[in-house]
Amino acid sequence: MAAGAQASSEGPTRALVHCEGLSFRWPGAEAPTLQHLNLTLHAGEAVLLRGESGQGKSTFLSLLAGILAPSSGSLTVAGHDFHALGQRQRDRVRGADIGVIFQQFNLLPFLSILDNLLLPIRFSTERQARLHALGASPEKAAEALLSALGLSLRALGNRSVGALSVGQQQRVAAARALLGGPRLILADEPTSALDPKNRDAFLRALKDAQTARGAALLCVSHDPALEPFFDRTVTLAALQGDTP
Amino acid sequence: MSALLRLAGASLLARRRTTGLMLLALTLSCALLFGVEKLRSELRTSAYAAVGAVDLIVGARTAPEQLLLATVFHYGALSTPVPRAVETELAAHPAVRFAIPLSLGDSVAGLPVVGTIPAYFAHLGTPSKGPLAFQAGGPFASEEEAVLGAEAARRLGKGLGDALTLSHGLGAQSFLEHGDHPLRVVGILAPTGTPLDQRILVSLEALHAAHEGLGVGGEEGEDNISALLLGLSPRAAALGLAAQLNRSQDPPLTAALPALTLAGLLRWLGAGEAVLQVLSAFVVAVALAGMLAMMLASLEQRRREMAVLRALGAGFPTLLFLLLAEALILTGAALALGLGLVHGGLALAAPALQSATGLTLQGLGPTAGEGLLALGALALAALAGLLPAWLAARRALMDGLSPQS
């Protein structure tokens, strides 16, 4: 696959995500799960990482999210050298600059929709500060994001999270990931619980919101039907061969 | 911080069935802990209040404990009388502020009848040590009159001016009842929270007359009393006077320092109290172990929750704090509820306890001892919560972004 052909010619310093020779082995495991991966991701770019399950795509996302630490190689995310930072500092970078969307069960069932949306603001002072600089109250910003993704907080009213359809839950999760201006959105099979119609609607909304906010998007999926929505598609195998 | 506490609270509420059951177990165990502590301290306070202004109790030769129990708590009897001449002699002693004779051994409907002199009311106020307060009427002035303790008046259903008949012996139903010497109630004392509330106080002469009428005068005659209550000035004279009286052979006397004797009795009771305290502490520990089991069991189904929080930037310390806060919120709530249960329960049970023991629980507010117990329980809860908190936070790190794998 010639997916890497579009890789930018700009230097790694301008990139939002840049990894070179990135490898990861679970503690105690014989063989590394990921080996010599190279990837460069720029602001505003939307990239699909495609491949069958069990290849380590989710592990790769965990590395980019700073939840796992690479075994070897270099990894820079949003200007931070994740190899040099400790777990606490990587947690902080994630809270400030990375939004995560899971396959499903993104929302905490015991919190209201609005409280779920506002969670990242509670965890990150950086996100708080960015909203403050825009002069937007967190509630207003959350409402605006949700409506950009095609949902109305007012229409949903006081409905509990469990009463939302999966499609609606994924939109709320996407809005939450984007709230407070993170620069990188990581999505792990965000459409696998959706039917084709909902899937396409969700991806279109996510892509629009991401483009409008200039964030980079890396989405992991096994589904080739997602490809048209992204600027480019890569596989783990292709990332191994690439020089960024 | 407060946002995190709210998050922990919301998570607890979402699991309200297990949380509720756990809270119930913790609350009951905390109530037991507080209840034991409360009764322990209250009974002590009450017992010392019952001694009141008395510096020395003098009776015929016997054990000081028996003297104290018979004169202050109406427990047991004094078989050997004291000649009244002893009263006259001691009243003249320069260090004696007051000498109040007591004649014990009679009862009306199970309430102790105490023969004494009107000076009793002037000197034996508790706990302020001034005169005794009356809720109605005043002291008796003749052998036809009687004064009732607050509880005695309530139990007998008598008011001022009502007639009262004495009987011999301490039984609830004495067979030697006699209507020859009806007394008139002239005073009802204000509640004191001591066994005094249950007493019927009459003059020595009234008791004597009742015994004469029944032909049981004997050695409890007009010239004999059961014991003497002394107030001293200076109070430090008690030790020397006690030593002197305890050596006397004609007649052989015992002088008991009530506070000292009571302290000895309570020390002896203390061993039993310690067992109760240890047991109730164990019950709390068992409840906390239950909480630990509940938290550990819930961890599996909460991996998702942890993963979401991790994804939002929550680090190891935040997850640790959340789970620890959960243990502390549960235990804190249980402590507050347990304390409320004990104090509410005691407020309800206080009248029954009063009529059964004559002791009134005075301070129904939280005490320093309870505060210490609560702190101890919280510390234990934090310790117990540390294990699941650490395990969960640890696992959340291992799980990465996808706990289902």
Side-chain angles (χ1 to χ4, degrees), chain A residues 26-27 58 61-62 65-68 87-88 91-92 94-95 98 100 102-108 110-111 119-120 122-123 176 186 188, chain B residues 3-4 6-7 10-11 13-14 304-318 322 396-404:
Chain A
W26 286 101
S58 292
L61 279 195
S62 291
I67 285 178
L68 299 176
Q87 180 69 55
R88 282 191 78 156
D91 288 339
R92 197 190 152 102
R94 179 171 66 256
I98 303 175
V100 178
F102 295 112
Q103 183 173 345
Q104 49 184 336
F105 309 120
N106 276 288
L107 309 177
L108 298 183
F110 50 83
L111 293 183
L119 268 180
R122 308 226 188 282
F123 277 106
R176 184 179 65 188
L186 301 173
D188 190 2
Chain B
L4 281 181
R6 276 223 311 280
L7 200 60
S11 180
L13 270 181
R304 220 36 255 184
E305 187 182 330
M306 298 295 149
V308 168
L309 294 174
R310 283 287 287 147
L312 292 168
F316 188 80
T318 306
L322 272 176
L397 290 191
M398 297 299 294
D399 274 346
L401 273 181
S402 39
Q404 65 271 56

Coordinates of all heavy atoms in Angstrom, one line a residue, chain A residues 26-27 58 61-62 65-68 87-88 91-92 94-95 98 100 102-108 110-111 119-120 122-123 176 186 188, chain B residues 3-4 6-7 10-11 13-14 304-318 322 396-404:
Chain A
W26 N 5.4 -5.7 25.4 CA 4.7 -5.8 26.8 C 5.7 -6.4 27.7 O 6.5 -7.3 27.3 CB 3.5 -6.7 26.7 CG 2.3 -6.0 26.0 CD1 1.9 -6.2 24.7 CD2 1.5 -5.0 26.6 NE1 0.8 -5.4 24.5 CE2 0.5 -4.7 25.6 CE3 1.4 -4.4 27.8 CZ2 -0.5 -3.7 25.8 CZ3 0.4 -3.5 28.1 CH2 -0.5 -3.1 27.1
P27 N 5.7 -6.0 29.0 CA 6.7 -6.6 29.9 C 6.5 -8.1 30.0 O 5.3 -8.6 30.1 CB 6.3 -5.9 31.3 CG 5.5 -4.7 30.9 CD 4.9 -5.0 29.5
S58 N -4.3 -0.9 18.6 CA -4.7 -0.2 19.9 C -3.5 0.1 20.7 O -3.4 1.1 21.4 CB -5.7 -1.1 20.6 OG -6.9 -1.2 19.9
L61 N -2.0 3.2 19.6 CA -2.7 4.4 20.1 C -2.4 4.7 21.5 O -2.2 5.8 21.9 CB -4.2 4.1 19.9 CG -4.9 4.4 18.6 CD1 -6.4 4.4 18.7 CD2 -4.4 5.6 17.9
S62 N -2.2 3.6 22.3 CA -1.9 3.8 23.7 C -0.5 4.5 23.9 O -0.3 5.3 24.8 CB -1.9 2.5 24.5 OG -3.2 2.0 24.6
A65 N -1.0 8.1 23.0 CA -1.7 8.8 24.0 C -0.9 9.0 25.3 O -1.3 9.6 26.2 CB -3.0 8.0 24.3
G66 N 0.3 8.3 25.3 CA 1.2 8.5 26.4 C 0.8 7.6 27.6 O 1.2 7.8 28.7
I67 N -0.1 6.6 27.4 CA -0.5 5.7 28.4 C 0.5 4.6 28.6 O 0.9 4.2 29.7 CB -1.9 5.1 28.1 CG1 -3.0 6.2 28.4 CG2 -2.2 3.9 29.0 CD1 -4.4 5.8 28.2
L68 N 1.1 4.2 27.5 CA 2.2 3.3 27.5 C 3.4 4.0 27.1 O 3.4 5.0 26.3 CB 1.9 2.1 26.6 CG 0.7 1.2 26.9 CD1 0.5 0.1 25.8 CD2 0.8 0.6 28.3
Q87 N 5.6 9.2 33.4 CA 4.2 8.8 33.3 C 3.3 10.0 33.6 O 2.3 10.3 32.9 CB 3.8 7.6 34.2 CG 2.4 7.2 34.1 CD 2.1 6.5 32.8 OE1 2.7 5.6 32.3 NE2 1.1 7.1 32.1
R88 N 3.6 10.7 34.7 CA 2.7 11.8 35.2 C 2.7 12.9 34.2 O 1.6 13.5 33.9 CB 3.2 12.4 36.5 CG 2.9 11.5 37.7 CD 3.2 12.3 39.0 NE 2.1 13.2 39.3 CZ 1.9 13.7 40.5 NH1 2.6 13.3 41.5 NH2 0.9 14.5 40.7
D91 N 0.6 11.9 31.2 CA -0.8 12.0 31.6 C -1.3 13.4 31.4 O -2.4 13.7 30.9 CB -1.0 11.5 33.1 CG -0.9 10.0 33.2 OD1 -1.0 9.3 32.2 OD2 -0.6 9.6 34.4
R92 N -0.4 14.3 31.8 CA -0.8 15.7 31.7 C -0.9 16.2 30.3 O -1.8 16.9 29.9 CB 0.3 16.5 32.5 CG -0.1 17.9 32.8 CD 1.1 18.7 33.3 NE 0.9 20.1 33.0 CZ 0.6 21.0 33.9 NH1 0.4 20.6 35.2 NH2 0.4 22.3 33.6
R94 N -1.6 14.3 27.8 CA -2.8 13.7 27.3 C -4.1 14.5 27.7 O -4.9 14.8 26.9 CB -3.0 12.3 27.8 CG -4.2 11.6 27.3 CD -4.3 10.1 27.6 NE -4.3 9.8 29.0 CZ -3.3 9.4 29.7 NH1 -2.1 9.3 29.2 NH2 -3.5 9.2 31.0
G95 N -4.1 14.9 29.0 CA -5.2 15.7 29.5 C -5.4 17.0 28.7 O -6.5 17.4 28.4
I98 N -4.7 15.8 24.0 CA -5.2 14.6 23.3 C -6.6 14.3 23.7 O -6.9 14.3 24.8 CB -4.2 13.4 23.6 CG1 -2.8 13.8 23.2 CG2 -4.7 12.2 22.8 CD1 -1.8 12.7 23.6
V100 N -9.6 11.3 23.2 CA -9.6 9.9 22.9 C -11.1 9.5 22.7 O -12.0 9.9 23.5 CB -9.0 9.1 24.0 CG1 -9.1 7.6 23.7 CG2 -7.5 9.4 24.2
F102 N -13.3 6.0 22.2 CA -13.3 4.5 22.2 C -14.3 4.0 21.3 O -15.2 4.7 20.8 CB -13.6 4.0 23.6 CG -12.6 4.4 24.7 CD1 -12.9 5.2 25.7 CD2 -11.3 3.8 24.6 CE1 -12.0 5.5 26.7 CE2 -10.4 4.1 25.6 CZ -10.7 5.0 26.6
Q103 N -14.2 2.7 21.1 CA -15.2 1.9 20.3 C -16.6 2.1 20.8 O -17.5 2.4 20.1 CB -14.8 0.4 20.4 CG -15.6 -0.5 19.5 CD -15.0 -1.9 19.5 OE1 -13.9 -2.1 19.9 NE2 -15.8 -2.8 19.1
Q104 N -16.8 1.9 22.1 CA -18.1 2.2 22.8 C -17.8 2.4 24.3 O -16.7 2.3 24.7 CB -19.1 1.1 22.6 CG -18.5 -0.3 22.8 CD -19.6 -1.3 22.5 OE1 -20.7 -1.1 22.4 NE2 -19.1 -2.5 22.2
F105 N -18.9 2.6 25.0 CA -18.8 2.9 26.5 C -17.8 4.0 26.8 O -16.9 3.9 27.6 CB -18.3 1.6 27.3 CG -19.2 0.4 27.0 CD1 -18.6 -0.7 26.4 CD2 -20.5 0.4 27.2 CE1 -19.4 -1.8 26.1 CE2 -21.3 -0.7 26.9 CZ -20.7 -1.8 26.4
N106 N -17.9 5.1 26.0 CA -17.1 6.2 26.3 C -17.5 7.1 27.5 O -16.7 7.8 28.1 CB -17.2 7.2 25.0 CG -16.2 6.7 23.9 OD1 -15.0 6.9 24.1 ND2 -16.8 6.2 22.9
L107 N -18.8 6.9 27.8 CA -19.4 7.9 28.8 C -19.5 7.2 30.1 O -19.8 6.0 30.2 CB -20.7 8.4 28.3 CG -20.7 9.0 26.8 CD1 -22.1 9.4 26.4 CD2 -19.7 10.1 26.7
L108 N -19.4 8.0 31.2 CA -19.6 7.4 32.5 C -21.1 7.4 32.8 O -21.8 8.5 32.7 CB -18.9 8.2 33.6 CG -17.4 8.3 33.4 CD1 -16.7 9.0 34.5 CD2 -16.8 6.8 33.4
F110 N -23.0 7.2 35.3 CA -23.5 7.8 36.5 C -23.4 9.4 36.4 O -23.8 10.0 37.4 CB -22.9 7.3 37.7 CG -21.4 7.3 37.7 CD1 -20.7 8.4 38.0 CD2 -20.7 6.1 37.4 CE1 -19.3 8.5 38.0 CE2 -19.3 6.1 37.4 CZ -18.6 7.3 37.7
L111 N -22.9 9.9 35.3 CA -22.9 11.3 35.2 C -23.9 11.8 34.1 O -24.2 11.0 33.2 CB -21.5 11.8 34.8 CG -20.4 11.6 35.8 CD1 -19.1 12.2 35.3 CD2 -20.7 12.3 37.1
L119 N -16.0 16.7 31.7 CA -14.9 16.0 32.4 C -13.5 16.4 32.0 O -12.7 16.7 32.9 CB -15.1 14.5 32.2 CG -15.9 13.7 33.2 CD1 -15.9 12.2 32.9 CD2 -15.4 13.9 34.6
P120 N -13.2 16.5 30.7 CA -11.8 16.9 30.4 C -11.4 18.3 31.0 O -10.3 18.5 31.3 CB -11.8 16.9 28.9 CG -13.2 16.8 28.4 CD -14.0 16.2 29.5
R122 N -12.4 19.4 33.8 CA -12.1 19.3 35.2 C -10.7 18.7 35.4 O -10.1 19.0 36.4 CB -13.1 18.3 35.8 CG -14.6 18.7 35.6 CD -15.4 18.7 36.8 NE -16.8 18.8 36.6 CZ -17.4 20.0 36.3 NH1 -16.7 21.1 36.3 NH2 -18.7 20.1 36.1
F123 N -10.3 17.9 34.4 CA -9.0 17.2 34.6 C -7.8 18.1 34.1 O -6.7 17.9 34.5 CB -9.0 15.9 33.9 CG -9.6 14.8 34.6 CD1 -10.8 14.3 34.3 CD2 -8.9 14.3 35.7 CE1 -11.4 13.3 35.1 CE2 -9.5 13.3 36.5 CZ -10.7 12.7 36.2
R176 N -16.7 15.5 23.5 CA -15.9 15.6 24.7 C -14.4 15.6 24.3 O -13.6 16.3 24.9 CB -16.2 14.4 25.6 CG -15.5 14.5 26.9 CD -15.8 13.3 27.8 NE -15.3 12.1 27.3 CZ -15.6 10.9 27.8 NH1 -16.4 10.8 28.9 NH2 -15.2 9.8 27.2
L186 N -7.4 10.9 19.0 CA -7.2 9.5 18.7 C -8.5 8.7 18.8 O -9.2 8.8 19.9 CB -6.2 8.9 19.7 CG -4.8 9.6 19.8 CD1 -3.9 9.1 20.9 CD2 -4.1 9.4 18.4
D188 N -10.3 4.9 18.5 CA -10.1 3.5 18.4 C -11.4 2.8 18.0 O -12.3 2.6 18.8 CB -9.6 3.0 19.8 CG -9.1 1.5 19.7 OD1 -9.1 1.0 18.6 OD2 -8.8 1.0 20.7
Chain B
A3 N -14.3 18.5 42.6 CA -14.8 17.8 41.5 C -14.6 16.3 41.5 O -15.4 15.5 41.2 CB -14.2 18.4 40.2
L4 N -13.4 15.9 42.0 CA -13.0 14.5 42.2 C -13.9 13.9 43.2 O -14.4 12.7 43.1 CB -11.6 14.4 42.5 CG -10.6 14.5 41.3 CD1 -9.2 14.3 41.8 CD2 -10.9 13.5 40.2
R6 N -16.9 14.8 44.1 CA -18.2 14.6 43.5 C -18.3 13.4 42.6 O -19.2 12.7 42.6 CB -18.6 15.9 42.7 CG -19.2 17.0 43.6 CD -20.4 17.7 42.9 NE -20.1 18.0 41.5 CZ -19.5 19.1 41.2 NH1 -19.0 19.9 42.1 NH2 -19.3 19.4 39.9
L7 N -17.2 13.2 41.8 CA -17.1 12.1 40.9 C -17.2 10.8 41.7 O -17.9 9.9 41.4 CB -15.8 12.2 40.1 CG -15.7 11.4 38.8 CD1 -16.8 11.8 37.9 CD2 -14.3 11.6 38.2
A10 N -20.7 10.3 43.0 CA -21.6 9.9 41.9 C -21.4 8.4 41.6 O -22.4 7.7 41.4 CB -21.4 10.8 40.7
S11 N -20.2 8.0 41.6 CA -19.9 6.6 41.2 C -20.5 5.7 42.3 O -21.0 4.6 42.1 CB -18.4 6.4 41.1 OG -18.1 5.0 40.8
L13 N -23.0 6.4 44.3 CA -24.5 6.4 44.2 C -25.0 5.5 43.0 O -26.0 5.0 43.1 CB -24.9 7.9 43.9 CG -25.2 8.7 45.1 CD1 -25.7 10.1 44.7 CD2 -26.3 8.0 46.0
A14 N -24.2 5.4 42.0 CA -24.6 4.6 40.8 C -24.6 3.2 41.2 O -25.4 2.4 40.7 CB -23.6 4.8 39.7
R304 N -13.8 -0.3 32.8 CA -14.2 0.7 31.8 C -14.1 2.1 32.3 O -13.5 3.0 31.7 CB -15.6 0.3 31.5 CG -16.1 0.3 30.0 CD -15.1 -0.1 29.0 NE -14.7 1.1 28.3 CZ -13.8 1.1 27.3 NH1 -13.4 -0.1 26.8 NH2 -13.4 2.2 26.7
E305 N -14.7 2.3 33.5 CA -14.7 3.6 34.2 C -13.3 4.1 34.3 O -13.0 5.3 34.0 CB -15.4 3.4 35.5 CG -15.7 4.7 36.3 CD -16.3 4.4 37.6 OE1 -17.0 3.3 37.8 OE2 -16.0 5.1 38.6
M306 N -12.4 3.3 34.8 CA -11.0 3.7 35.0 C -10.4 4.0 33.7 O -9.6 5.0 33.6 CB -10.2 2.5 35.7 CG -10.7 2.1 37.0 SD -10.5 3.5 38.2 CE -11.9 3.2 39.3
A307 N -10.7 3.2 32.6 CA -10.0 3.5 31.3 C -10.5 4.9 30.8 O -9.7 5.6 30.2 CB -10.4 2.4 30.3
V308 N -11.8 5.2 31.0 CA -12.3 6.5 30.5 C -11.6 7.6 31.2 O -11.1 8.6 30.6 CB -13.8 6.6 30.7 CG1 -14.3 8.0 30.5 CG2 -14.5 5.6 29.7
L309 N -11.4 7.5 32.5 CA -10.8 8.5 33.3 C -9.3 8.6 32.9 O -8.8 9.7 32.8 CB -10.9 8.2 34.8 CG -12.3 8.3 35.4 CD1 -12.4 7.8 36.8 CD2 -12.9 9.7 35.3
R310 N -8.7 7.5 32.7 CA -7.3 7.5 32.2 C -7.1 8.3 30.9 O -6.3 9.1 30.7 CB -6.8 6.1 31.9 CG -6.4 5.2 33.1 CD -5.1 5.6 33.7 NE -3.9 5.3 33.0 CZ -2.8 6.0 33.0 NH1 -2.8 7.1 33.7 NH2 -1.8 5.6 32.3
A311 N -8.1 8.0 30.0 CA -8.0 8.6 28.7 C -8.2 10.1 28.8 O -7.6 10.9 28.0 CB -9.1 8.1 27.8
L312 N -8.9 10.6 29.8 CA -9.1 12.0 30.0 C -7.9 12.7 30.7 O -8.0 13.9 31.0 CB -10.4 12.2 30.8 CG -11.7 11.9 30.1 CD1 -12.8 11.8 31.0 CD2 -11.9 12.8 28.9
G313 N -6.9 11.9 31.0 CA -5.7 12.5 31.6 C -5.5 12.2 33.1 O -4.6 12.7 33.7
A314 N -6.5 11.4 33.6 CA -6.3 11.1 35.0 C -5.1 10.1 35.2 O -5.0 9.1 34.5 CB -7.6 10.4 35.5
G315 N -4.2 10.5 36.1 CA -3.1 9.7 36.3 C -3.2 8.7 37.5 O -4.3 8.7 38.1
F316 N -2.2 8.0 37.8 CA -2.2 7.1 39.0 C -2.6 7.8 40.2 O -3.5 7.2 40.9 CB -0.8 6.5 39.1 CG -0.6 5.4 40.1 CD1 -1.0 4.1 39.8 CD2 -0.1 5.7 41.3 CE1 -0.8 3.1 40.7 CE2 0.1 4.7 42.3 CZ -0.3 3.4 41.9
P317 N -2.1 9.0 40.6 CA -2.5 9.6 41.9 C -4.0 9.9 41.9 O -4.7 9.8 42.9 CB -1.7 10.9 41.9 CG -0.6 10.7 41.0 CD -1.1 9.8 39.9
T318 N -4.6 10.3 40.7 CA -6.0 10.7 40.6 C -6.9 9.5 40.9 O -7.8 9.5 41.7 CB -6.3 11.3 39.3 OG1 -5.4 12.4 39.0 CG2 -7.7 11.8 39.2
L322 N -9.4 8.9 43.9 CA -10.8 8.6 43.7 C -11.3 7.4 44.6 O -12.3 7.4 45.2 CB -11.1 8.3 42.3 CG -11.4 9.5 41.4 CD1 -11.6 9.1 39.9 CD2 -12.7 10.2 41.9
A396 N -5.2 -0.1 35.8 CA -5.6 0.8 34.8 C -4.3 1.2 33.9 O -4.4 1.4 32.7 CB -6.2 2.1 35.4
L397 N -3.2 1.2 34.6 CA -1.9 1.5 33.8 C -1.6 0.4 32.9 O -1.2 0.6 31.7 CB -0.8 1.7 34.8 CG -0.8 3.0 35.7 CD1 0.5 3.1 36.4 CD2 -1.1 4.2 34.9
M398 N -1.8 -0.8 33.3 CA -1.5 -2.0 32.5 C -2.5 -2.1 31.3 O -2.2 -2.5 30.3 CB -1.6 -3.3 33.3 CG -0.5 -3.3 34.4 SD 1.2 -3.3 33.8 CE 1.2 -4.8 32.9
D399 N -3.8 -1.8 31.6 CA -4.8 -1.9 30.6 C -4.6 -1.1 29.4 O -5.1 -1.4 28.3 CB -6.2 -1.6 31.2 CG -6.8 -2.8 31.9 OD1 -6.3 -3.9 31.7 OD2 -7.8 -2.6 32.7
G400 N -3.9 0.1 29.6 CA -3.8 1.0 28.5 C -5.1 1.6 28.1 O -6.0 1.8 29.0
L401 N -5.3 1.8 26.8 CA -6.6 2.4 26.4 C -7.7 1.4 26.2 O -8.9 1.7 26.1 CB -6.4 3.1 25.0 CG -5.9 4.5 25.1 CD1 -5.7 5.1 23.7 CD2 -6.8 5.4 25.9
S402 N -7.4 0.1 26.2 CA -8.4 -0.9 25.8 C -8.5 -2.0 26.9 O -7.8 -3.0 26.7 CB -8.2 -1.5 24.5 OG -6.8 -1.7 24.3
P403 N -9.3 -1.8 27.9 CA -9.3 -2.8 29.0 C -9.9 -4.1 28.6 O -9.8 -5.1 29.3 CB -10.2 -2.1 30.1 CG -11.0 -1.1 29.3 CD -10.1 -0.7 28.2
Q404 N -10.7 -4.2 27.5 CA -11.3 -5.4 27.1 C -10.3 -6.5 26.7 O -10.6 -7.7 26.7 CB -12.4 -5.2 26.1 CG -11.9 -4.8 24.7 CD -11.9 -3.3 24.6 OE1 -11.2 -2.6 25.4 NE2 -12.6 -2.7 23.7

